[in-house]
């Protein structure tokens, strides 16, 4: 992987709690290239969500470096908010503002941070809502939407900032099973369009079908990574073999 294609580079990333009693991340090295869909899997408590949330410093590392577009964002002199604008984040529980309409939820950040006019921001928001089949819900409030609809709104809200990478933290785990597909379909479309994505998920079908690379984490360490076919069909480490044998029954 040539350096010019690397969008995110992680070196020696550590996140400790209670001194060093809890090692959520324990020396992780990783690279994410432009256009990749990197899917992180592992048991609960393995560090995968901490890893994802560290990429835009929602979790402040105990040690190590994270380079985004060649800039060390762990350097205290760096304006992290400027770099966060290039990283779309989609959470497990949507994080929509309940007192604002869907349209207002989507236009707030582009108008405030990117200084777009209301008309420009609303035009873009309506186009994106149309893409996910929710243009008719623009004036609804989050409480009037299903979980799947809220998560689709959360995804296109992040896209309103025209990010260079999308970070997904277990985006379907809070949804009813019948709503999972509609959210994964939006993510698949993004992947096919070449969006760089880092996804923490329990959806192994998505990881195999859409991922360009899968990471397996356990006890704060990156144990194994490979292309989806090799990752699922020929796992190398005994720990990954044991993990897959339990979830791919």
């Amino acid at each position: 992987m040539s350096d010019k294609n690397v969008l995110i580079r992680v070196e020696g990333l550590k996140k400790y709690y209670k001194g060093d009693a809890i090692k959520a991340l324990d020396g992780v090295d990783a690279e994410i290239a432009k256009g990749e869909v990197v899917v992180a899997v592992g048991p609960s408590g393995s560090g995968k969500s901490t890893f994802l949330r560290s990429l835009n410093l929602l979790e402040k590392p105990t040690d190590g470096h994270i380079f985004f577009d060649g800039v060390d964002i762990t350097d205290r002199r760096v304006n992290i908010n400027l770099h966060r604008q290039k990283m779309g984040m989609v959470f497990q529980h949507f994080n929509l503002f309940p007192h604002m309409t869907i349209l207002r939820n989507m236009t707030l950040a582009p108008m405030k941070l990117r200084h777009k006019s209301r008309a420009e921001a609303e035009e873009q928001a309506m186009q994106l809502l149309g893409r996910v089949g929710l243009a008719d819900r623009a004036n609804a409030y989050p409480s009037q939407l299903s979980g799947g609809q809220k998560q689709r709104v959360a995804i296109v809200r992040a896209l309103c900032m025209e990010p260079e990478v999308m970070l997904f933290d277990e985006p379907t785990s809070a949804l009813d099973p019948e709503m999972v597909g509609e959210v994964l379909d939006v993510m698949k479309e993004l992947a096919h369009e070449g969006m760089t994505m880092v996804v923490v998920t329990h959806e192994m079908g998505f990881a195999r079908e859409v991922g360009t690379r899968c990471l397996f984490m356990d006890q704060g360490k990156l144990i194994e990574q490979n292309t989806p076919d090799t990752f699922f069909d020929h796992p190398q480490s005994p720990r990954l073999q044991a993990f897959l044998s339990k979830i791919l029954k």
Side-chain angles (χ1 to χ4, degrees):
M1 191 185 299
S2 65
D3 272 0
K4 67 180 181 180
N5 288 324
V6 174
L7 183 61
I8 300 172
R9 188 168 81 252
V10 177
E11 297 179 349
L13 190 63
K14 296 180 180 180
K15 178 65 177 181
Y16 295 169
Y17 298 97
K18 297 182 179 179
D20 61 356
I22 299 173
K23 297 179 179 179
L25 294 173
D26 194 19
V28 174
D29 298 307
E31 288 186 345
I32 296 152
K34 294 175 183 176
E36 270 200 296
V37 179
V38 175
V39 183
V41 303
S44 295
S46 61
K48 55 191 187 296
S49 281
T50 304
F51 169 72
L52 184 85
R53 293 165 65 89
S54 296
L55 297 181
N56 62 0
L57 297 196
L58 284 180
E59 292 279 0
K60 297 280 174 55
T62 304
D63 197 7
H65 298 275
I66 301 166
F67 296 88
F68 179 75
D69 263 348
V71 176
D72 184 355
I73 62 172
T74 56
D75 187 327
R76 292 182 180 179
R77 295 167 293 181
V78 167
N79 183 344
I80 185 58
N81 288 323
L82 286 177
H83 291 277
R84 282 184 179 140
Q85 291 178 33
K86 304 173 186 176
M87 304 181 187
M89 184 87 186
V90 178
F91 299 90
Q92 183 175 343
H93 292 290
F94 326 127
N95 286 26
L96 299 174
F97 294 113
H99 62 291
M100 295 182 183
T101 64
I102 298 308
L103 187 61
R104 184 66 178 141
N105 262 283
M106 293 182 65
T107 57
L108 183 66
M111 290 171 61
K112 188 173 182 179
L113 299 175
R114 298 192 69 125
H115 309 295
K116 290 192 174 187
S117 69
R118 179 178 293 275
E120 188 180 9
E122 288 185 351
E123 180 182 3
Q124 179 192 39
M126 291 305 298
Q127 286 176 348
L128 288 166
L129 283 172
R131 272 185 56 178
V132 297
L134 292 173
D136 62 332
R137 308 298 282 158
N139 293 314
Y141 287 86
S143 62
Q144 298 171 301
L145 271 58
S146 70
Q149 289 174 326
K150 289 176 190 174
Q151 196 61 294
R152 282 185 280 160
V153 169
I155 292 172
V156 292
R157 177 182 63 173
L159 292 175
C160 281
M161 290 296 289
E162 300 168 17
E164 293 182 35
V165 60
M166 288 284 287
L167 309 175
F168 293 88
D169 189 8
E170 300 195 22
T172 60
S173 61
L175 300 178
D176 292 333
E178 66 268 23
M179 296 178 183
V180 169
E182 63 192 57
V183 173
L184 292 180
D185 285 344
V186 175
M187 295 170 64
K188 289 174 187 176
E189 187 179 329
L190 280 179
H192 293 323
E193 291 172 358
M195 172 62 77
T196 307
M197 297 163 61
V198 187
V199 185
V200 170
T201 186
H202 296 288
E203 300 291 337
M204 297 299 146
F206 175 87
R208 184 189 279 269
E209 179 187 349
V210 184
T212 56
R213 189 154 45 96
C214 296
L215 313 181
F216 175 66
M217 297 188 68
D218 190 36
Q219 297 184 341
K221 294 182 180 292
L222 177 53
I223 304 296
E224 188 167 335
Q225 57 180 313
N226 221 318
T227 60
D229 285 349
T230 302
F231 185 89
F232 285 104
D233 296 336
H234 306 287
Q236 302 299 303
S237 69
R239 184 65 189 91
L240 177 55
Q241 291 168 7
F243 176 76
L244 292 176
S245 71
K246 290 178 181 176
I247 62 170
L248 297 180
K249 292 179 179 178

